Amino acid sequence: MNPISDRDQSQPLAPGLYLVATPIGNLEDITLRALRILQSVDRIACEDTRQTQKLLNHFDIHTPTVSYHMHNEGSRAEELAAELKQGARIAVVSDAGTPGIADPGGQLAAAAIAAGVAVFPIPGANAAISALIASGLPADLFTFHGFLPAKAGQRKTALEEIPRTGATHIFYEAPHRILDTLADIETVFGPTQPIVIARELTKLHEEFLRGPVNELRTQLSARPSIRGEIVLLLAPKPADEAAPQQSQSIAAQVATLIKNEALTEKEALKRVAKDRGIGKSEAYRELQREQNRLR
């Protein structure tokens, strides 16, 4: 791509919506373009005005701010969209990272587009992409899922629905839930499933943990506390690569999982179905047929 010319940078800022990425930890991750935009817009819509004010004060930016978060996103998006239609220049920032990626911003962008207003992405720091490129996992095909459900049953179901294609799957997770999530991954994908945990990205205590899920769960369990923002990545192998020998019966596989990994029959059957690339109902019917033949 051609570099931006000096003329482009010296022209007055065009009316429209600017989605501005901000640092996720290290203040040096702010871009020169982002600083120029934040200085030039009419006002800045912030996930938390107090958090953004720290950034603005650091760079001596005095643009007015307004709150724009998950609890007022609908009403504030309507208000800001009306201003944009009148020719306003508005920037949107989250507390850290790229607006609209597990943070407010997408609803206002959609409203602006529907109103015929120009929307400008101002790229910068993003935790998911930063974790991916340093994970060692495939980066040519990936899916970002945001946060996993907080409730155990819903979280396990979400993990069970991940397709085994070899692509990388990226999640955000809270530190107080990470051990439960790792236990669910171990149940769904097996104890040797490779994972990557990226913690406190770009900050002073940045850390990458890479290895089998059971080993990392043991390692984290031994810590007195787990702190910081976490990105969790895994790339389940395709079913035909991950599957055990098909000569072994479903009943035998289920029995082995129940014995060796203390799974319930239902959990073991789900694992076998996923490993074999078949539906849970099909696996259950085959299990019943095998059990009936043994009676």
Side-chain angles (χ1 to χ4, degrees):
M1 299 178 67
N2 293 327
I4 299 174
S5 68
D6 292 338
R7 177 184 175 187
D8 291 329
Q9 297 179 26
S10 63
Q11 289 180 341
L13 194 66
L17 178 66
Y18 293 81
L19 304 173
V20 182
T22 54
I24 58 176
N26 192 320
L27 286 176
E28 292 181 354
D29 290 336
I30 193 75
T31 68
L32 295 177
R33 186 183 180 199
L35 292 176
R36 178 172 63 87
I37 298 298
L38 294 177
Q39 288 173 330
S40 303
V41 292
D42 300 309
R43 62 172 167 165
I44 304 169
C46 317
E47 183 178 8
D48 185 333
T49 55
R50 296 165 299 180
Q51 187 69 22
T52 300
Q53 198 60 53
K54 298 175 186 177
L55 177 70
L56 300 181
N57 290 343
H58 182 83
F59 290 105
D60 196 27
I61 296 172
H62 304 284
T63 306
T65 61
V66 62
S67 65
Y68 176 68
H69 48 72
M70 62 180 293
H71 300 295
N72 72 353
E73 189 169 7
S75 58
R76 190 53 56 83
E78 184 177 343
E79 172 191 329
L80 295 175
E83 294 183 21
L84 289 166
K85 285 192 285 187
Q86 296 301 316
R89 303 167 302 172
I90 296 175
V92 174
V93 298
S94 64
D95 288 348
T98 303
I101 305 298
D103 280 321
Q107 191 168 334
L108 180 55
I113 292 168
V117 173
V119 176
F120 304 97
I122 311 301
N126 176 266
I129 298 301
S130 299
L132 175 65
I133 62 174
S135 68
L137 298 177
D140 54 341
L141 184 62
F142 61 90
T143 300
F144 173 67
H145 299 266
F147 283 91
L148 281 162
K151 294 183 178 180
Q154 295 175 357
R155 181 173 58 243
K156 190 176 293 185
T157 297
L159 291 169
E160 290 169 347
E161 292 175 350
I162 294 176
R164 293 194 180 218
T165 61
T168 298
H169 296 269
I170 310 171
F171 304 89
Y172 290 160
E173 189 52 283
H176 65 277
R177 288 198 298 264
I178 186 63
L179 291 178
D180 290 338
T181 296
L182 296 184
D184 289 340
I185 291 174
E186 190 170 337
T187 297
V188 174
F189 297 101
T192 60
Q193 170 63 49
I195 65 167
V196 176
I197 296 173
R199 192 180 65 84
E200 291 289 82
L201 287 173
T202 81
K203 298 178 183 177
L204 179 63
H205 299 292
E206 176 180 279
E207 178 181 37
F208 277 86
L209 300 174
R210 304 175 179 88
V213 61
N214 62 337
E215 293 183 11
L216 296 194
R217 184 160 73 96
T218 299
Q219 183 176 339
L220 288 180
S221 297
R223 297 185 179 186
S225 64
I226 304 171
R227 298 179 180 178
E229 298 177 344
I230 292 172
V231 184
L232 174 64
L233 308 93
L234 66 154
K237 292 182 179 180
D240 57 348
E241 294 182 24
Q245 293 296 322
Q246 298 299 310
S247 58
Q248 187 179 25
S249 70
I250 287 180
Q253 286 180 246
V254 167
T256 299
L257 289 171
I258 292 173
K259 178 181 178 181
N260 294 344
E261 300 185 25
L263 301 183
T264 65
E265 183 180 271
K266 182 178 180 181
E267 291 170 338
L269 191 61
K270 286 182 180 179
R271 171 89 68 79
V272 170
K274 181 176 282 287
D275 286 345
R276 289 175 174 250
I278 61 177
K280 288 180 287 187
S281 296
E282 181 181 349
Y284 179 70
R285 288 193 296 270
E286 180 59 30
L287 176 63
Q288 286 186 313
R289 284 193 290 267
E290 292 175 3
Q291 290 174 338
N292 289 334
R293 286 196 294 268
L294 295 174
R295 290 173 183 167

